[in-house]
Amino acid sequence: MNNVFIGLGSNLDNPLSQLKAAIEHIKQVNAIKLVAVSGFYSSAPMGPQDQPDYINAVIEISTSLEAELLLDELQKIENEQGRVRKERWGARTLDLDILLYGDEVITSKRLTVPHSGISERNFVLYPLQDLVDANFKIPGLGKLGELVASCPVESLKRLSEN
Ligand code: ROI
């Protein structure tokens, strides 16, 4: 079994419900066991500013699926929840990113793991910090605590309701 962290993001069509529905869909995949869910956070968009704020979270799963088969399952869920791929860095109903896949480094046509944006994305690092401790090692990038220390919290806010 592989321990995997997945980043969830949405800024359209009731983002909090989108994330919760995605977690329910992920739980229904046979080869996936849900281990933990971070808090839910709101944040200003990274990239074009003419789009709504995002809700983000990170989940930890345990899975027997190879990385690309896992990606297939996640993309199915994105599509079922109405994801339409339009402009790069534009608004989206649901984004499911494989952030970490065990301690593997993957660079294939479809996948870059650890996810390429991790160290600049407070909406990934802070939720991840809800699930693992500061000494947790991100392959090739160092300890989570050090990445968090050099990534300003800015507008990121933890929602009170989970
Ligand atoms: N900005 C925030 N705050 N959260 C996201 O999940 C997110 N996802 C994206 C881009 C458009 C880069 N901006 C984001 O894909």
Side-chain angles (χ1 to χ4, degrees), residues 79-97:
N79 293 335
E80 280 163 13
Q81 289 189 220
R83 167 90 182 258
V84 182
R85 283 169 188 273
K86 286 181 279 184
E87 60 182 287
R88 186 169 134 84
W89 287 37
R92 65 266 325 271
T93 48
L94 181 63
D95 213 359
L96 298 174
D97 290 331

Side-chain angles (χ1 to χ4, degrees), residues 8-10 43-47 51 54 56 89-90 92 95 121 123:
L8 299 86
S10 168
S43 62
M46 165 182 261
Q51 55 178 321
Y54 279 80
N56 288 106
W89 287 37
R92 65 266 325 271
D95 213 359
R121 297 186 171 192
F123 56 85

Side-chain angles (χ1 to χ4, degrees), residues 82-131:
R83 167 90 182 258
V84 182
R85 283 169 188 273
K86 286 181 279 184
E87 60 182 287
R88 186 169 134 84
W89 287 37
R92 65 266 325 271
T93 48
L94 181 63
D95 213 359
L96 298 174
D97 290 331
I98 299 176
L99 302 171
L100 302 168
Y101 188 93
D103 55 11
E104 289 186 26
V105 173
I106 305 170
T107 42
S108 72
K109 229 175 171 173
R110 296 178 65 206
L111 262 184
T112 302
V113 178
H115 190 274
S116 57
I118 276 192
S119 35
E120 297 88 58
R121 297 186 171 192
N122 56 18
F123 56 85
V124 169
L125 295 176
Y126 286 78
L128 186 56
Q129 205 180 217
D130 291 343
L131 305 180

Side-chain angles (χ1 to χ4, degrees), residues 119-121 125-126 143-153:
S119 35
E120 297 88 58
R121 297 186 171 192
L125 295 176
Y126 286 78
K143 290 181 182 174
L144 177 62
E146 287 160 8
L147 296 177
V148 166
S150 48
C151 187
V153 67

